[in-house]
Amino acid sequence: MAKEKKEKILEQTISTFRAVGIVTGVDRDNFYNTGIVENGKNEGKEYRSLRFGVRTSPNQTIYVQMFGMEPDTVYVYDNKEKKGEQVPYEEFLEKEASWAEEGKITFDSSVNLDSTDKKAPKSHMPKFDNIDLIYDKLENGMSVYVSGRISRNSYENQSGDIVTRTNNDLQQILLADDVDFDSKKFREYAVFTEEFVVTDTEYDKEEEKLIISGLSIDYNENTYPVSFDVSHAEELNGKPETYEGMSDSEIEKNKKYVEEQVEMKKKMINAFKKLKYGTLLKVDGKILNKVTVTEQVDEEEDDLLSAMRGNSKKAIRDYSQTLSISGTDSYTLSKYTEEDFFKAKQKNQLVSSSVEVEEKDELGDLRGSKEKDPFEGSSIDIDTEDLPF
């Protein structure tokens, strides 16, 4: 007797990232790993993984990863018929070339590290296969476009605290035009699109920003705390570190742009403050990863030892990530209640929620702005409802 399929209390929230930058970390020991799963339902299967950095500005590096296990089946999408199906992995390997000519490919991962032509052929293969392709071709210093899913998982640290880790799971990497940080035309591109449920907001007057706390939801209805901000600080809204080298007209144009952005962000903040607990948001924004380096100071250390220690002083690096919202794509008021999260966590039952939600078409001051994707249109666009993940 087939099990009755029950609706979920909490729907999965989807989050993605996109960035352009210079590859780093290929020479590190943890860049590429392979092995055999030793236990569990996948015992005996081979796995492969990659992890490297993409330097998106002189002050920021985003780390991405890709993990692939030898698959039993592959999801193949027919772009002409607008539908997909699961096929055996061996059959996919045998027919992959002819299927690609027919417009039947897998969207598990996509790679092109040979040409900057956005229309150049890409390797649409399972991550398990494309990981080896990336390993063979990727080099430090390459300029690339990367995109993929943002995922989260929790673990208990040595102090017994539950820590949430955010992962940038790579799905696409393409060769890009050379990135020149010294060029006047350089504009950093490191952005995200995130769905999450609002739980609280708090305004930080000193930092000139609104902090929005929320929850992201995975496929199994596990929830993870997330935090975003909307800032009206001038330096985060287009004001350069210095006007040196800019003409009077360029300076005036920049000041006008910053004023417009600051005013828009202030209106957004006022709109976000009105959102109630349980509102589902889909937002766009910028990824800001910063590293603060401080020297470890021993209070009992005498002046002579301190002077002699020199470069042997221990440096403490503090890594922090901020997801700064630029605009809003959509929202659903009162999507969830606290009771919904309690039921999903405590009972782990998949039941239908009878609460009707109010859809709003007009975003008003929540809309803000969105960064233009420099590789938009380089992949086949399909309805995410057609995908099995």
Side-chain angles (χ1 to χ4, degrees), residues 46-165:
E46 182 183 357
Y47 69 84
R48 299 166 185 167
S49 67
L50 286 171
R51 178 176 170 80
F52 60 94
V54 177
R55 194 177 176 210
T56 61
S57 78
N59 303 315
Q60 171 162 280
T61 300
I62 292 175
Y63 292 93
V64 300
Q65 63 183 33
M66 182 181 282
F67 178 88
M69 192 179 299
E70 184 180 6
D72 295 320
T73 61
V74 178
Y75 182 82
V76 177
Y77 185 81
D78 190 327
N79 192 52
K80 294 180 181 179
E81 299 294 328
K82 303 301 180 184
K83 63 180 181 180
E85 62 176 335
Q86 295 282 355
V87 301
Y89 177 51
E90 295 301 327
E91 181 182 359
F92 172 80
L93 292 180
E94 180 183 340
K95 300 179 179 179
E96 181 268 328
S98 60
W99 278 352
E101 292 181 359
E102 299 171 8
K104 296 172 63 176
I105 59 176
T106 179
F107 284 89
D108 193 44
S109 65
S110 177
V111 177
N112 171 26
L113 292 172
D114 297 313
S115 171
T116 58
D117 184 352
K118 296 177 183 178
K119 296 182 180 180
K122 303 175 183 65
S123 172
H124 294 284
M125 295 290 287
K127 293 184 179 73
F128 181 74
D129 298 279
N130 266 341
I131 283 174
D132 274 358
L133 177 62
I134 298 171
Y135 175 69
D136 289 338
K137 292 180 176 292
L138 196 66
E139 297 178 0
N140 282 337
M142 277 187 171
S143 295
V144 296
Y145 168 88
V146 292
S147 64
R149 290 281 184 88
I150 298 174
S151 67
R152 294 176 174 86
N153 64 287
S154 297
Y155 64 95
E156 185 175 329
N157 64 16
Q158 295 180 345
S159 302
D161 299 322
I162 301 299
V163 178
T164 297
R165 178 168 52 198

Side-chain angles (χ1 to χ4, degrees), residues 16-41:
T16 62
F17 72 91
R18 303 170 301 286
V20 175
I22 299 174
V23 173
T24 182
V26 169
D27 53 343
R28 296 176 64 90
D29 291 339
N30 65 345
F31 167 57
Y32 176 83
N33 284 296
T34 185
I36 304 296
V37 180
E38 297 181 352
N39 50 52
K41 65 179 182 179

